[in-house]
Amino acid sequence: MLTAHTVAQIRAAEEVAADQQGWDGLMQRAARELAERLLALMPADETAVVLVGPGNNGGDALFAAARLLERGRRVNLCLLDPSKVHRGGLAAASAAGARVVDRPDGHRFVVDALFGIGARPGLEGAAAHWADWIERERPVVVAVDVPSGIGVDDGRLDGPAVRADHTVTFGTAKYGLLLGPAAALSGRITVVDIGMDLSREPALESLELADGQRFRDRIVPGVADHKYSRGVLGIRAGSPQYAGAAHLCVAGAQAGPAGMIRFVGEPELSRRVVDRAPEVVGAAGRVQAWVVGPGGEDSPEPLAAALADEVPVVVDATALGHLPMSFTTDALLTPHAGELAAMLGAERDEVEADPLTHARRAAERWSATVLLKGPRTLIVSADGRLRVNTSGTPWLGTAGAGDVLAGFAGSLLARGLDAFDAGSIAALVHGLAAERLGGPFVASDVARAMPRLLQQFCAGPGQDHRTGDLT
């Protein structure tokens, strides 16, 4: 599992580590680890340019540059403000043969060490010009700790920022590397150990396929299980206009671990669902969870009827417009940015600019878990737990993909997982299935691919699983 922490948490851990190894020792360890990654990434015949800002972030890169030069690599330095550069680092790099240049122009390998975790989002002056040059010329960029200019604690982009191909980050990932629009600028993330202990701190988590064994016993049926004990899921989805949503929601549910599915809807639609999926029971009855809303009629009745059963519920699409004042049962709300904006009386671009703040607001407002769909799907619980999904592909932007996701999450909810875990696992497996398919594909292809991915998730390490771009 990949974890990320806030700036405040990291600062506190740095203080403890510095007490143990000294601030200089901490910087030298960071520089050593950074240099090793740069040696692996940088072509031997390339001249690197290091964009050096003030403070320790620039110092880490300057000491790393000295190590590169000692290993026979060529390194130039661009100093954002010579009066604020880390003096010890500049002296070490200069003594090793680094040359100071006025601009990065002409270089094809860039190390971004302009600003670290203490800077506010958005670049100005020469830093903004250099970020613009990077965007135009697209050299290979390695960011030190974070790409300069991003919102480190929230993933916001409030102005120019550096787009990195790789980010070498110290001790732990940062929120802004995984969240919001800023995540698209992080590239491949490598977390290096520099002796900070954040193991007891609450963290933003990102599940990976290898994490499945911790959930296995709650998903895989035992020898004494039967269709009822595995969980019965009720589905209220689809409409005459959007009949396909009912089929896709059922397909997603059938890809999950529930032992039985009940479909409740208009008689002709129910008949069509059962004709296509004969395992489905087209009648009301006792269930352990509900999915309500995918492609459904714009009416409060379906959700009200589901809530009357007092069982966990996945609320999607049209049902999101008919929420109660607050949920008294475990609820997973699955909006996209436009739907969440409507729920909160905000604008869609406001949600897309700061998804974390808006998802948290909704989770608190309705005492529910919010799964905010997007390039980096967020799962936020009312009690403050937070996960982000890093699997998936832009090909998932296809009609019906959300219906499949809702059905699969409902199946996990009926199996007994809480809304937070059900949403997290559903987003991961849904995204991994899309990655395996490659694209282009349609939503029903994703549903067919998901059982194999769930099987691999539960099997854990040693199986054929994705290692991903996050290490």
Side-chain angles (χ1 to χ4, degrees), residues 195-207:
M196 293 192 299
D197 182 9
L198 288 149
S199 60
R200 290 179 292 276
E201 293 290 331
L204 163 64
E205 299 176 336
S206 179
L207 291 184

Side-chain angles (χ1 to χ4, degrees), residues 123-309:
L123 299 176
E124 300 173 344
H129 289 303
W130 292 347
D132 182 62
W133 171 80
I134 287 170
E135 201 66 29
R136 291 196 317 270
E137 300 298 327
R138 295 307 305 136
V140 175
V141 178
V142 180
V144 179
D145 216 12
V146 295
S148 296
I150 71 167
V152 180
D153 268 350
D154 53 23
R156 290 183 60 94
L157 291 177
D158 292 338
V162 171
R163 182 182 299 273
D165 299 285
H166 306 265
T167 298
V168 179
T169 194
F170 303 126
T172 179
K174 284 69 184 174
Y175 275 37
L177 298 178
L178 304 180
L179 298 178
L185 305 188
S186 301
R188 182 185 179 96
I189 301 167
T190 300
V191 181
V192 296
D193 179 19
I194 59 170
M196 293 192 299
D197 182 9
L198 288 149
S199 60
R200 290 179 292 276
E201 293 290 331
L204 163 64
E205 299 176 336
S206 179
L207 291 184
E208 298 170 316
L209 198 51
D211 295 319
Q213 281 192 312
R214 61 185 281 198
F215 302 99
R216 183 184 186 282
D217 291 344
R218 290 190 281 158
I219 296 174
V220 177
V223 293
D225 271 317
H226 48 78
K227 63 184 178 183
Y228 297 114
S229 66
R230 283 178 55 183
V232 180
L233 175 65
I235 293 178
R236 294 176 179 267
S239 60
Q241 186 178 5
Y242 299 110
H247 296 300
L248 291 167
C249 186
V250 166
Q254 289 186 312
M260 181 176 167
I261 297 166
R262 293 185 181 275
F263 183 85
V264 178
E266 185 267 338
E268 175 59 20
L269 180 58
S270 182
R271 182 191 65 77
R272 292 170 61 183
V273 166
V274 175
D275 281 349
R276 180 172 291 192
E279 304 87 356
V280 174
V281 176
R286 186 176 179 182
V287 299
Q288 277 69 57
W290 279 102
V291 177
V292 184
E297 298 284 357
D298 189 6
S299 164
E301 190 279 328
L303 181 57
L307 293 177
D309 282 349

Side-chain angles (χ1 to χ4, degrees), residues 11-36:
R11 292 297 194 210
E14 283 178 339
E15 292 284 348
V16 174
D19 286 343
Q20 297 169 345
Q21 53 186 305
W23 284 108
D24 184 64
L26 197 62
M27 179 171 287
Q28 292 303 327
R29 184 167 178 177
R32 181 175 67 251
E33 296 292 346
L34 174 61
E36 290 302 315

